[in-house]
Each structure stands twice: as C-alpha cells, then as structure tokens.
Amino acid sequence: MIEIADDNGRTIYGDVDEQTAQKIFESHIINGTPLTDFVVLSGQVNGQWTGGSEINFIARQKRIVLERCGNINPESIDDALKTDAYKGLEKAVKSMKPEQVIEEILKSGVKGRGGAGFPTGMKWKFAAANNADQKYIICNADEGDPGAFMDRSILEGDPHSVIEGLIIGGYAIGATEGYIYARAEYPIAIRRLKIAIKQAEERGYLGDNILGTSLKFHLHIKEGAGAFVCGEETALIESIEGHRGMPRIRPPFPAARGLFDKPSNINNVETLANIGWIIRKGADAFTAFGTEQSKGTKVFALAGKVKRGGLVEIPIGMTVKDVVFDIGGGTRSGKPFKAVQMGGPSGGCIPADKVDTVIDYATLAETGAIMGSGGMIVMDEDNCMVDIARYFLNFTQSESCGKCTFCKIGTRRMLEILQRITKGEGEEGDIEKLETLAQQIKTNALCGLGQTAPNPVLTTIRYFKDEYIAHIKDKKCPTRQCKALIKYNIAGKCTGCTLCTKKCPVKAIHGKVKELHKINHYKCTRCGICKSVCKFDAIIVD
C-alpha cells in the first residue's frame, strides 16, 4: 500500500508492486493525476473518504474509537495533540468534579466493550463509593479470542486514547495508580504504550500535579502470558499480583476488594478509548449513535470467509446483513452465506435466515449469541457447524483454568461427545447430553469463561440440528468437512496425468499413465491434496 497526502486530501493505493509504484510517482506526484486503477480510498477531507474501490467498506462506518488510527503517527504525542488528544482530560480535571464525570459517562450509556456489556458509568460509581487509602484502575488488554484484533489495533494505532481514558477514570473513582494488562504476544502495542506513557509524563498528563492541579496518576504495564482466562477480571487481578491466573469467588467484587485487596475498576481497551471522546464532545454526541438500549459505536474484527475482512467500527443498530454484505462484500468464495460466529469462543452462531438481526446487546442475546469483544467470523455453505462447535469448545476447554469442576470436567465431557460425533461415532441421545451438560455448566461455572463456553454448541444445535442428526444417524457430514465421514474417489474425467499420484503424501493413488487412477481408501488420509492439484475435476468427495 502507498498513501499520498496532498491538497486534494489523502489517497491510498493498493496492490502496488515496484513498477506500479513508479507509475504512481510519475502520474500522481509529478503530474498531479491519481492513477485511478489502483486507488482503494481517495479524497479524505475532514475524516470522510469520498471514492476508491474500497469505499463501500468504509463509507457506512462511524469512527470514534478508531478516529485517529491511521491518521496519526502513534509514536508522536504531538500528532495526537493536534487531533484533540487529552482535551477530554483537560475538561474533566479543570471544569468537572469526579461525580460529574461519572454522571456524564452514565448519561452516555456506554457499556463495557469487552463482552459483558455492563454500564461503564455504573461500574465507576460502585468503585467511587468505596473509600480507601489507595484505589486502582486497570485496562484489560488481554485480547485472546480467535480472529480478534480490535484492542491490538487501538493500542498500536492510538495508545494515547487509552491512556487518556485511564486517567479520566482514575480521576472519577479516586484512583492514583493504574495498570495496563497486555498480553506479551503484542510486542508492538506494548512498545508504543511505553513510548506514549513516557511522552505523557514529560508533557504533564501523567505523574504528579497533572495539568498544574493536585491530581496525580501513575501508570504501569503488566505483560500477561497469554492465558485466555485472564480476560476475566478477577483472574487478571490475580495475575497482576503475581499469582496463577484463576478467577476469584464473588462477592466481594473488585469495586470493593480488587487489586492488592483495594477498590479497583477494570475496563477493556475499547471502552477506555471512548472516554476522552465522550467527555470532550459530551454524552449527547455519543448517544446520537446506537439504539435505545445500546449507545455509540462498536469495533468488530470481520474475518473468516468474507470478501473484505478487516477492522470495522459501526454505529450499534446496524444489522448482520449490513456488516457482512454491504461492508464485507459477502462471502469470499461467492458461495451462499451460512452463518456468522459472533463473540468469539464465548459467543454463538447466527444463521443466514436471521441475517436481519440488529447488532445490539439485547437483540444478539435473544439469538443465543453475544456482542462479546467484537469477533465476527463469516462462514459459507462449506462450513460444518458441528465441527465449528467442536473447534470453539476445544479452545475454551484447553483454556479452562481448572478451578471449578463444571468448567474443567463439563467442557471436557462435551468436547469428547463432539469429537465422537465428528468421527462418525455419535450415538442416540448425544444431542440431549450436550444440551444437559451445557445448561449445567452455564448455571454453575465460577466465571464467564465457563458460563459462556457452551454457547457455540447450543446455538449450532438450535439452528443446525439437522447437521448433528446427519452425523449421528446417517454417519455423514453434509458439508464433507469431517475427514472420518468422507471418502475421496476418482471419476471418469481422469486423464491419467499422474499428478495426483506424485503429490499424494502416503502413496494411496495408483494407476498407469493415461488410464483411470484409483485411491486406496485404507491408505488415504483424506488430506485433500489430490483434489487441490487435479486440473480435470476428477476427484470426487463422497
């Protein structure tokens, strides 16, 4: 990609090789004429793009959290200040009392963007009400959902927005110490956070006597080892304290007894990145977006079998169809859209016949899915929903901390049943067993990991029960994805070119040149290489 900024705004070119770069230089830089065939976005003025081949991807987005990402040098506080960074902090500290800040956040209706969707202002109010000689505010940057990269992009593209949100939050609840708990797998984000913290300290936004007032706030970074369970706030607290990341029994809640046994507040990256904007522009500007019950915007990582994947920030209230088709361009394969997995391994599948579902916290919950932190994985007709459920449950089961029996053992039993089903060893009553185990785990697990782990299984049973029945009764995978339930055969189109024979890693294909070849099913590992290399569509999957 190449980006050019001139009197006509910004222009972004894509798919640029060395020769194209030379043409762009001569046409755009020397002669002032954009090379339109390679323009993906163009004409950005006042934050709005007006043209380019990818305009549909960006046109319906509303960027609050991501407004500076890509528009500033994230390692330059001067760039951030030119785009109103720390103006919200200045307004809060110099013209608002802590309770007024909390009231403004309550009025905005912003909810936790980490998955639970609890009102942020209410959370701050609880922490503020508890008196103590020391309080803490923590940023949860332990993003671990497969296919999710929202927090990473914010931290890498605009670290000052998160820092500003933490300082404002600290001022509101009376915390003078803050922590950013970031997974060590995000080295660029951590490096840029360290740069931003140092710059903020040098400019008087962090440390003692912030902006010439009596306010003090010190910020630290804690690198996590990548345990998914540490996304749960009490497990995160345990990890910061140097213990194994395992959730605590609640109550007491962190607002009363959190980090180092002191009142604490935990918000995720995206939540905090909204705070400075809300205080700077006012709650009413934020509530102009969203639905009656869910205000503002939400960042999603659009991934999977979608034509235009990437990070999108949309006003809450758009539909699944708006995001998958209007913004994402539909399926990359061109095959019919089947479902979208929302909320990561803790979320659920929304089928194609519910594509008009409104994206807000309450409506998504009715489908069995959740907003989650913002993962959105698109699937087409080739995806096996039983195998999808197995995949996500395998992830949450392996990430279970083992503290409570329902999560540790219950998810293991569910996974064993799903593994049997995908191997063609399913039995009558397996679906009912899965549903019973799922409800027991959801009701009795200690933390959010266990309570939400069964969601992918329950939603796939709810919407794609016929696929489970086909696997169990007919011993067939309708989508031909479960290896144990399929066979590769060679049809009459075979010309005997021998390419599949040469490429087969287990030598399961035999035949003479220019004659029909055959596959030895006892040797075949169903790797699919023969089908991928065949130029005559002679490989049939049964």
Side-chain angles (χ1 to χ4, degrees), residues 144-298:
D145 291 10
F149 46 95
M150 299 77 61
D151 292 353
R152 174 184 174 179
S153 298
I154 296 165
L155 294 171
E156 290 182 0
D158 185 18
H160 288 285
S161 67
V162 181
I163 293 170
E164 182 179 16
L166 278 166
I167 304 168
I168 293 172
Y171 173 66
I173 71 170
T176 57
E177 296 281 334
Y179 282 85
I180 298 176
Y181 186 91
R183 53 180 43 228
E185 290 97 325
Y186 284 179
I188 296 174
I190 291 170
R191 178 171 62 83
R192 289 181 175 168
L193 277 169
K194 289 178 179 178
I195 292 170
I197 289 171
K198 184 179 179 181
Q199 291 174 341
E201 289 172 342
E202 291 171 349
R203 298 296 181 93
Y205 298 109
L206 272 174
D208 297 327
N209 305 119
I210 292 173
L211 295 173
T213 70
S214 61
L215 176 65
K216 66 176 182 178
F217 188 82
H218 296 270
L219 191 53
H220 317 277
I221 295 175
K222 169 70 176 179
E223 295 185 35
F228 183 66
V229 72
C230 286
E232 197 279 333
E233 58 184 24
T234 60
L236 181 154
I237 288 171
E238 288 285 307
S239 182
I240 292 177
E241 291 180 351
H243 307 139
R244 181 180 176 185
M246 301 175 80
R248 298 174 178 176
I249 295 173
R250 297 179 293 180
F253 292 93
R257 289 175 58 189
L259 184 62
F260 305 124
D261 226 24
K262 301 293 185 180
S264 305
N265 182 86
I266 301 97
N267 297 116
N268 96 311
V269 169
E270 186 182 343
T271 308
L272 291 165
N274 277 297
I275 301 301
W277 192 97
I278 293 170
I279 298 299
R280 185 174 84 242
K281 296 196 174 186
D284 291 342
F286 191 77
T287 59
F289 306 101
T291 64
E292 186 64 31
Q293 299 298 321
S294 303
K295 302 297 183 183
T297 63
K298 180 72 187 79

Side-chain angles (χ1 to χ4, degrees), residues 491-512:
K493 292 181 180 180
C494 177
T495 63
C497 71
T498 74
L499 183 59
C500 60
T501 305
K502 295 173 183 176
K503 296 293 183 180
C504 179
V506 292
K507 308 301 180 186
I509 304 175
H510 57 87
K512 295 180 179 179

Side-chain angles (χ1 to χ4, degrees), residues 525-542:
T525 60
R526 304 170 182 87
C527 67
I529 291 176
C530 58
K531 185 172 177 62
S532 67
V533 300
C534 182
K535 298 178 181 178
F536 304 99
D537 295 326
I539 309 295
I540 306 299
V541 184
D542 296 318

Side-chain angles (χ1 to χ4, degrees), residues 146-456:
F149 46 95
M150 299 77 61
D151 292 353
R152 174 184 174 179
S153 298
I154 296 165
L155 294 171
E156 290 182 0
D158 185 18
H160 288 285
S161 67
V162 181
I163 293 170
E164 182 179 16
L166 278 166
I167 304 168
I168 293 172
Y171 173 66
I173 71 170
T176 57
E177 296 281 334
Y179 282 85
I180 298 176
Y181 186 91
R183 53 180 43 228
E185 290 97 325
Y186 284 179
I188 296 174
I190 291 170
R191 178 171 62 83
R192 289 181 175 168
L193 277 169
K194 289 178 179 178
I195 292 170
I197 289 171
K198 184 179 179 181
Q199 291 174 341
E201 289 172 342
E202 291 171 349
R203 298 296 181 93
Y205 298 109
L206 272 174
D208 297 327
N209 305 119
I210 292 173
L211 295 173
T213 70
S214 61
L215 176 65
K216 66 176 182 178
F217 188 82
H218 296 270
L219 191 53
H220 317 277
I221 295 175
K222 169 70 176 179
E223 295 185 35
F228 183 66
V229 72
C230 286
E232 197 279 333
E233 58 184 24
T234 60
L236 181 154
I237 288 171
E238 288 285 307
S239 182
I240 292 177
E241 291 180 351
H243 307 139
R244 181 180 176 185
M246 301 175 80
R248 298 174 178 176
I249 295 173
R250 297 179 293 180
F253 292 93
R257 289 175 58 189
L259 184 62
F260 305 124
D261 226 24
K262 301 293 185 180
S264 305
N265 182 86
I266 301 97
N267 297 116
N268 96 311
V269 169
E270 186 182 343
T271 308
L272 291 165
N274 277 297
I275 301 301
W277 192 97
I278 293 170
I279 298 299
R280 185 174 84 242
K281 296 196 174 186
D284 291 342
F286 191 77
T287 59
F289 306 101
T291 64
E292 186 64 31
Q293 299 298 321
S294 303
K295 302 297 183 183
T297 63
K298 180 72 187 79
V299 181
F300 289 96
L302 191 56
K305 295 182 177 180
V306 66
K307 188 178 292 183
R308 289 192 295 267
L311 215 61
V312 299
E313 183 175 359
I314 61 165
I316 294 176
M318 292 179 71
T319 65
V320 172
K321 182 179 180 181
D322 292 332
V323 178
V324 173
F325 290 93
D326 293 349
I327 295 177
T331 60
R332 184 173 63 246
S333 62
K335 295 179 180 180
F337 166 71
K338 186 172 186 176
V340 62
Q341 170 76 9
M342 290 195 65
S346 300
C349 288
I350 298 176
D353 61 5
K354 291 191 178 296
V355 77
D356 292 317
T357 298
V358 172
I359 297 173
D360 70 8
Y361 289 92
T363 308
L364 288 177
E366 292 173 4
T367 69
I370 59 173
M371 187 87 77
S373 59
M376 189 179 285
I377 300 175
V378 176
M379 292 168 272
D380 66 15
E381 63 177 6
D382 287 340
N383 284 100
C384 171
M385 304 313 291
V386 181
D387 191 55
I388 288 292
R390 181 205 58 77
Y391 169 81
F392 281 113
L393 193 68
N394 181 65
F395 177 86
T396 48
Q397 204 286 319
S398 64
E399 292 290 342
S400 172
C401 75
K403 185 170 185 176
C404 67
T405 305
F406 281 94
C407 179
K408 173 186 172 184
I409 305 299
T411 56
R412 167 58 65 183
R413 296 290 87 86
M414 288 184 71
L415 180 60
E416 288 170 351
I417 294 171
L418 287 169
Q419 288 172 334
R420 281 198 293 101
I421 293 174
T422 56
K423 289 178 181 178
E425 300 169 3
E427 303 169 353
E428 287 287 338
D430 276 349
I431 295 175
E432 291 73 21
K433 287 178 186 176
L434 286 170
E435 291 175 323
T436 300
L437 283 166
Q439 293 303 331
Q440 291 175 340
I441 295 166
K442 285 176 72 71
T443 303
N444 296 288
L446 182 61
C447 81
L449 187 152
Q451 292 161 9
T452 58
N455 284 348

Side-chain angles (χ1 to χ4, degrees), residues 126-135 173 255-256 262-263:
F126 292 152
N130 289 292
N131 296 316
D133 58 345
Q134 180 64 59
K135 294 183 183 180
I173 71 170
K262 301 293 185 180

